[in-house]
Amino acid sequence: MAPVRTPTRILAVCALLTVAACGTPTQERGSSMSTGGNPIAQRAVEPGSAAPARVDMDFGGEYRFAAGVTISVSIPKSFRPSTTAYPQSDRAVAFEIGIRNDGTEPYRLSGLSVAASIAGVPAKQVVDATQGFNGIVDAGKDVLPARNTRVTLAFAVPPEPAELQLSLRPSASSPDVAMYCGSA
């Protein structure tokens, strides 16, 4: 006689399989990811799915979104914000973000969505004009096809090195997310 299977046991097994599968890299389908960076983990979704396609990358790597925009994120550079910086912070890290338009249409730079978090807690963007950290200054401009641009952004971080995640999307509504992870 077969053992009685309760819905709780079945749900527990499904949850265990889902957790195990999330840490396993999947083969990329229909994407054109560059091999310049080292993807840590990759989660592909079927076309038409509402779930975001998230790719984890090391700082210093490059990723091409399906829309044709390729981004690269430098290794974080630690600095002490000036007294005129907002918000005030004892320490911040800066990133140079390269944006290359490999698509056929102009890319509106204002669409770029960048967010940072430390241990799941959002990090605040630092604006420090004294040191040249002004956010996305040319947000109203387009990046024409076959052209590129660079922006430098800074975020407040704790005094001691911590694990930082920087998520980038080509637009706020895009389901594609490039998640750069590392110590900062």
Side-chain angles (χ1 to χ4, degrees), residues 38-177:
N38 293 329
I40 298 168
Q42 189 172 308
R43 295 181 195 110
V45 291
E46 294 297 323
S49 173
R54 175 180 151 177
V55 176
D56 290 352
M57 304 284 296
D58 291 323
F59 289 117
E62 183 177 273
Y63 179 75
R64 182 173 178 189
F65 290 99
V69 175
T70 301
I71 57 157
S72 61
V73 177
S74 70
I75 295 171
K77 179 184 173 192
S78 181
F79 72 98
R80 182 170 178 84
S82 70
T83 57
T84 60
Y86 181 81
Q88 282 293 304
S89 173
D90 289 334
R91 188 172 82 93
V93 291
F95 300 92
E96 184 176 77
I97 301 170
I99 301 119
R100 185 175 65 243
N101 185 356
D102 294 321
T104 58
E105 298 293 321
Y107 172 68
R108 177 67 62 158
L109 193 55
S110 62
L112 182 66
S113 174
V114 182
S117 64
I118 298 170
V121 177
K124 293 183 179 180
Q125 184 176 342
V126 173
V127 175
D128 190 347
T130 304
Q131 297 190 53
F133 302 114
N134 298 318
I136 301 177
V137 178
D138 294 330
K141 293 187 178 178
D142 289 344
V143 180
L144 297 175
R147 300 288 187 158
N148 60 30
T149 190
R150 295 191 177 282
V151 296
T152 304
L153 300 178
F155 292 90
V157 294
E160 298 299 320
E163 193 66 22
L164 179 91
Q165 291 183 328
L166 189 70
S167 66
L168 293 101
R169 295 174 189 254
S171 70
S173 62
S174 173
D176 295 329
V177 180

